[in-house]
Amino acid sequence: MKKMSWIAVTVLALSLIFVGLSPVASAAKTTFYTIGTGGVTGVYYPTGGAISRIVNVKKKEYNMRLTVESTGGSVYNINAILSGDLDFGIVQSDRQFQAMSGLAEWKDRGPQKDLMAVFSIHPESVTLLAGADTGINSISGLKGKHVNIGNPGSGQRQNAIDSLTAVGIDVTSDLKAEGLKAAESPGVLLDGRIDAFFYTVGHPSGAFKEATAGTRKVKFVPIILPDSFYLKFPYYARSFVPISQYPNAVNKADVPTFGVKATFVTHSRIPEKDVYHIVKEIFENFDNFKKLHPAYAVLTKASMLTGLSAPLHPGAMKYYKEVGLLK
Ligand code: GLU
């Protein structure tokens, strides 16, 4: 008995030494960062996956690991980054501008100085889809209809409100507005429980593939707005829905609308070296990154530095200066 317990003590001591020395010790130094994205049928979610996939190849070298979380969208992501619940997030360029300027959802709290830009990604179009049987042919046609304008944490909600207001439709009194998440929209449209929904997203997206694949015929509705709209909201630009991505929609040609850009943001508390490593991996594996989603087809390295309004994170700035993308 006595001999046995000495063996046990020795084994225990040795294993403690090993545990203390190797795998657990280095794993303990790994920093986990969570990227807030959007609904699983959007483009943010696979984008968070694409960024993580590229950067995590070097997880041992950088002692850092990125993980992805599905969220309610841009506004949720910005607020969660500011409160420390998320470390990085994908957010619409217009929402980035509003947060850093203290506008829209951030009006009461003022400019959010800790929000920092890293890079921009794919273009997103404010996309309006309606049942073909509803008679809705323009955004003005939404008057009196039942429309999902988006959940409160989403980017699209304010885009819907801005464009509806521009054509004289009051969202509280002139239509029946829903605040459902984008992932729910295709199902409720196809079931006939709503007439139309807005979703600001890159194309192609799972949501519109799903919404155009049901038995209810659906059509993308043009959102045509005057120059004064673009003067009032300089962060919006004319855009279109590429109809070739959705062969089952009733439309036969690209559908004009307006849009923004998806951007990658973080908090000033994230160390410079970690942001530098993330940017470096994405830019140095740019061709591989571009292959990970068809919405990235239009990306160039230079275009990924446009559409940003919050100050650049010092880690991103360091990389861009080093490679001459910034002076
Ligand atoms: N633009 C949407 C938002 O900010 C998300 C789009 C997506 O998930 O691809 O809520």
Side-chain angles (χ1 to χ4, degrees):
M1 272 309 275
K2 213 169 183 188
K3 203 175 167 194
M4 277 304 286
S5 47
W6 273 112
I7 291 168
V9 168
T10 313
V11 168
L12 182 68
L14 281 175
S15 49
L16 281 177
I17 290 168
F18 281 121
V19 163
L21 284 182
S22 54
V24 177
S26 65
K29 276 193 265 152
T30 301
T31 308
F32 285 81
Y33 288 128
T34 307
I35 305 174
T37 59
V40 295
T41 56
V43 181
Y44 288 7
Y45 188 70
T47 297
I51 294 170
S52 310
R53 197 163 137 186
I54 301 268
V55 176
N56 286 345
V57 170
K58 297 266 180 76
K59 60 180 186 280
K60 292 215 175 85
E61 195 176 314
Y62 296 151
N63 287 317
M64 168 176 78
R65 193 179 173 138
L66 304 182
T67 58
V68 171
E69 195 174 300
S70 169
T71 73
S74 289
V75 174
Y76 176 92
N77 294 344
I78 292 174
N79 289 335
I81 288 170
L82 293 170
S83 67
D85 290 336
L86 288 173
D87 307 298
F88 291 89
I90 306 172
V91 311
Q92 289 179 200
S93 48
D94 52 327
R95 304 317 227 139
Q96 183 189 137
F97 176 81
Q98 290 162 349
M100 77 111 204
S101 323
L103 300 169
E105 276 86 344
W106 299 274
K107 207 169 164 195
D108 296 338
R109 283 175 282 165
Q112 300 300 305
K113 303 233 181 291
D114 285 317
L115 186 70
M116 310 223 95
V118 182
F119 48 70
S120 70
I121 326 167
H122 56 279
E124 300 187 87
S125 297
V126 180
T127 309
L128 175 59
L129 190 76
D133 50 8
T134 58
I136 301 167
N137 295 313
S138 68
I139 178 167
S140 310
L142 293 178
K143 203 164 190 163
K145 300 290 186 185
H146 194 176
V147 186
N148 182 23
I149 62 168
N151 58 296
S154 72
Q156 57 268 10
R157 191 174 171 93
Q158 192 63 42
N159 306 146
I161 294 171
D162 289 342
S163 49
L164 286 163
T165 308
V167 296
I169 295 179
D170 184 328
V171 275
T172 53
S173 53
D174 295 337
L175 51 71
K176 190 165 176 221
E178 293 291 346
L180 302 170
K181 286 189 171 181
E184 298 173 67
S185 286
V188 288
L189 181 74
L190 293 173
D191 285 355
R193 282 183 279 158
I194 55 170
D195 298 310
F197 71 87
F198 283 88
Y199 190 16
T200 303
V201 72
H203 293 291
S205 78
F208 288 108
K209 293 268 185 210
E210 181 188 341
T212 54
T215 45
R216 187 180 190 186
K217 290 259 166 275
V218 291
K219 65 175 165 203
F220 291 96
V221 179
I223 306 179
I224 298 170
L225 297 162
D227 289 345
S228 56
F229 177 79
Y230 296 95
L231 289 171
K232 183 170 176 196
F233 304 109
Y235 41 76
Y236 290 146
R238 287 188 169 86
S239 167
F240 65 92
V241 179
I243 211 64
S244 60
Q245 303 288 354
Y246 307 106
N248 296 327
V250 164
N251 315 70
K252 291 289 159 260
D254 289 347
V255 181
T257 180
F258 67 103
V260 292
K261 273 182 98 174
T263 70
F264 191 55
V265 297
T266 188
H267 193 281
S268 57
R269 74 185 158 79
I270 305 295
E272 178 180 316
K273 69 167 182 15
D274 292 343
V275 176
Y276 173 85
H277 287 145
I278 292 172
V279 175
K280 183 176 159 85
E281 289 314 308
I282 299 303
F283 278 68
E284 294 189 358
N285 296 288
F286 187 66
D287 293 336
N288 286 342
F289 177 74
K290 268 185 81 166
K291 282 184 208 135
L292 296 178
H293 198 286
Y296 310 153
V298 294
L299 297 190
T300 64
K301 286 185 181 179
S303 78
M304 290 179 77
L305 270 69
T306 65
L308 305 171
S309 43
L312 272 179
H313 189 283
M317 177 91 88
K318 183 177 174 214
Y319 179 79
Y320 300 141
K321 285 196 168 159
E322 215 170 79
V323 298
L325 280 163
L326 272 186
K327 288 228 174 86

